[in-house]
Amino acid sequence: MDAKMLIGSEFVAGSERPEKILAPKTGATILELPEASPPQIDAAVDAAERAFAAWSRTTPAERSGYLLKLADRIEAEAADFARLEALNCGKPYGAVLRDEIPAIVDVLRFFAGAARVQTGSAAGEYLPGHTSMIRRDPIGVVASIAPWNYPLMMAAWKIGPALAAGNTVVLKPSEQTPLTTLKLARIAAEIFPAGVLNVVLGRGESVGNALIHHPKVSMISLTGDIATGKKVLAAAAKSVKRTHLELGGKAPVIVYDDADLSAVIEGLKTFGYYNAGQDCTAACRIYAGPKIYDNLVADLTAAVGTIGYGHEDDEQNHIGPLISERQRGRVASFVERAREASHIEITAGGRPASGSGFFFEPTVVAGALQSDEIVRREVFGPVVSVTRFSEPEQAVAWANDSEYGLASSVWSSDISRAMETATRLQYGCTWINCHFMLASEMPHGGLKQSGYGKDMSVYALEDYSVVRHVMVRFA
Ligand code: NAD
């Protein structure tokens, strides 16, 4: 198992306090990894800065070639990556292998292609005798800070556009889930010139904090909590760094009375609980029309009872445990507080599962009101709330009444009505009659406190590059 950080071309162990890396399925310690020291963080940033001089001047075709090689290696070693991710996150192995790894490979291939078709938007004579042109250039050293829910995928979403645009990167995985990123570092060192990608380990308040304040870091990319995003903004303000923030969500799901109920239930069962609900786009906040509400709650409750977890045979598992005991305690306390309200009924699950590991029962919270905490705050666990609305206007107003603005969905057999609703939702993405479908060509990112950085798509390439004007006098 790879356990060393990548600084320039060197593999080095951190020299500071170790972090226990746990297997969430059992709670057992996999290994302990010391975090980077301040001089090691400086060395990683220095290596990235040195590499920037040459990397930023490579042609798009060259950068594309490197990214394609990285994608090929991940694809070739898919089973090993999937095993590591499954071990470190507790996810079902098959879900990582079949869902995550192909998407990771695809997004790297997308950016390999996109790097080659980026164009300046204008060239011409805007003043007599002067030709102006627009360039898109890289920014410099990017500090990329990733969360624990999809460690390798978040790494790919960050390094793909950053490297394609000609930046160099210091990547810090979550202190809880560094294993696939360390394997990625091993492969990257065989492919990229030294210093183009560096990986440092450590906690947010120490290593993360040092990176976001580092004077040689030109851009910070974070996927994480709103509170962490605010710290990034405060740090960035001191030296005016660029920021790219993806900060959680609380996706509303509007189900009109005319929706296809079986499709809704299939969608909610899958995408309300995928990754044990530790997903910022999880279909977790249902607003059901007055006529469909009772059947939706009954059918969802029955369907959620069939979600497989905790089986010895991993192929029977649809979801895994939560990432940590702490996260499980957080989810449990949300559900306990909801249970205290007399209007709420927990119709499925509702408790930590028995046995070892950090499992929590897939849960349905019916009868929730718009003002309830369970409707308003991100739980980040296998917990879906259902709220009855009486008028479509009310559903749209409630859906938008949130500090989050990442993802949403609308379910109706009347496509005009669904489209009209989609135009009024204040979310980075609205799915109609589906949820959680991602495409590398399409942007993923939020509004409001969900942040503003776009992942995937040409918009990510724009976020990780800067527009410049060059003017030539010829007269
Ligand atoms: P987190 O904010 O605690 O941690 C995310 C990363 O930030 C980790 O690497 C952590 O070490 C680092 N960090 C923490 N404090 C820091 C600090 N002071 N300075 C610098 N770095 C710091 O979030 P988490 O608990 O790992 O992840 C879950 C959160 O991420 C959820 O809120 C979830 O919604 C969000 N998320 C958002 C998206 C999205 O696309 N919008 C995707 C995945 C996860």
Side-chain angles (χ1 to χ4, degrees), residues 29-220:
T29 302
I30 304 168
L31 80 174
E32 296 197 10
L33 291 174
E35 71 176 17
S37 65
Q40 288 175 321
I41 297 165
D42 285 345
V45 175
D46 286 347
E49 192 195 33
R50 276 196 304 278
F52 181 74
W55 180 253
S56 60
R57 302 183 76 82
T58 51
T59 62
E62 286 172 306
R63 296 197 292 276
S64 176
Y66 286 112
L67 285 169
L68 290 174
K69 277 189 196 149
L70 183 63
D72 289 350
R73 283 290 298 275
I74 294 173
E75 190 171 55
E77 298 185 37
D80 289 344
F81 273 111
R83 259 190 293 278
L84 265 186
E85 201 80 302
L87 173 69
N88 198 173
C89 302
K91 299 164 189 269
Y93 168 75
V96 189
L97 188 69
R98 289 189 287 269
D99 300 342
E100 293 188 30
I101 303 287
I104 289 163
V105 169
D106 187 67
V107 84
L108 291 172
R109 288 186 178 144
F110 169 78
F111 283 115
R116 302 188 67 173
V117 293
Q118 227 188 2
T119 52
S121 58
E125 289 65 50
Y126 300 90
L127 291 180
H130 295 73
T131 298
S132 283
M133 61 199 89
I134 298 287
R135 298 174 53 90
R136 267 210 172 266
D137 282 326
I139 292 162
V141 176
V142 180
S144 292
I145 301 180
W148 43 258
N149 54 351
Y150 298 99
L152 187 64
M153 189 181 294
M154 292 303 109
W157 282 14
K158 289 183 184 304
I159 67 176
L163 298 185
N167 306 285
T168 54
V169 172
V170 179
L171 172 64
K172 189 195 86 60
S174 164
E175 54 272 43
Q176 299 178 79
T177 56
L179 299 185
T180 48
T181 306
L182 291 174
K183 180 172 169 56
L184 181 74
R186 174 74 58 180
I187 290 173
E190 293 170 20
I191 296 173
F192 292 96
V196 168
L197 176 65
N198 306 271
V199 172
V200 293
L201 297 179
R203 298 167 186 80
E205 65 274 15
S206 49
V207 178
N209 188 57
L211 280 174
I212 65 178
H213 284 95
H214 203 290
K216 292 183 182 171
V217 166
S218 301
M219 173 172 171
I220 308 162

Side-chain angles (χ1 to χ4, degrees), residues 127-417:
L127 291 180
H130 295 73
T131 298
S132 283
M133 61 199 89
I134 298 287
R135 298 174 53 90
R136 267 210 172 266
D137 282 326
I139 292 162
V141 176
V142 180
S144 292
I145 301 180
W148 43 258
N149 54 351
Y150 298 99
L152 187 64
M153 189 181 294
M154 292 303 109
W157 282 14
K158 289 183 184 304
I159 67 176
L163 298 185
N167 306 285
T168 54
V169 172
V170 179
L171 172 64
K172 189 195 86 60
S174 164
E175 54 272 43
Q176 299 178 79
T177 56
L179 299 185
T180 48
T181 306
L182 291 174
K183 180 172 169 56
L184 181 74
R186 174 74 58 180
I187 290 173
E190 293 170 20
I191 296 173
F192 292 96
V196 168
L197 176 65
N198 306 271
V199 172
V200 293
L201 297 179
R203 298 167 186 80
E205 65 274 15
S206 49
V207 178
N209 188 57
L211 280 174
I212 65 178
H213 284 95
H214 203 290
K216 292 183 182 171
V217 166
S218 301
M219 173 172 171
I220 308 162
S221 158
L222 168 79
T223 301
D225 206 57
I226 290 177
T228 313
K230 289 178 180 168
K231 288 180 191 165
V232 165
L233 284 174
K238 289 191 186 146
S239 56
V240 194
K241 296 184 197 312
R242 286 184 171 243
T243 55
H244 183 275
L245 301 178
E246 300 269 12
L247 309 173
K250 182 78 186 172
V253 177
I254 297 178
V255 183
Y256 287 120
D257 284 335
D258 62 359
D260 174 345
L261 184 60
S262 61
V264 171
I265 298 302
E266 191 54 38
L268 294 180
K269 179 188 161 190
T270 308
F271 300 121
Y273 299 89
Y274 193 82
N275 209 34
Q278 300 167 115
D279 189 302
C280 46
T281 66
C284 60
R285 177 162 61 109
I286 317 307
Y287 296 107
K291 296 198 181 110
I292 204 169
Y293 176 90
D294 289 336
N295 288 338
L296 185 149
V297 170
D299 291 4
L300 181 63
T301 301
V304 164
T306 67
I307 293 175
Y309 64 94
H311 294 289
E312 197 71 21
D313 173 9
D314 199 33
E315 277 298 312
Q316 292 183 41
N317 293 324
H318 298 111
I319 65 172
L322 296 169
I323 195 70
S324 62
E325 188 62 64
R326 183 165 162 266
Q327 182 68 7
R328 180 162 74 164
R330 188 174 170 271
V331 171
S333 65
F334 273 117
V335 175
E336 284 317 308
R337 287 194 293 276
R339 197 193 298 278
E340 282 165 17
S342 56
H343 56 270
I344 278 182
E345 190 187 354
I346 311 285
T347 59
R351 313 259 180 216
S354 56
S356 65
F358 311 135
F359 290 93
F360 194 86
E361 296 170 349
T363 298
V364 177
V365 179
L369 300 178
Q370 178 66 7
S371 53
D372 289 336
E373 178 196 53
I374 202 84
V375 175
R376 307 199 69 83
R377 289 194 53 202
E378 187 186 44
V379 176
F380 229 54
V383 179
V384 168
S385 68
V386 194
T387 299
R388 187 197 299 263
F389 68 82
S390 49
E391 298 296 332
E393 281 303 319
Q394 187 181 45
V396 174
W398 281 348
N400 283 337
D401 172 26
S402 171
E403 65 181 19
Y404 291 104
L406 186 62
S408 56
S409 65
V410 183
W411 300 71
S412 171
S413 54
D414 178 345
I415 198 70
S416 302
R417 168 192 250 187

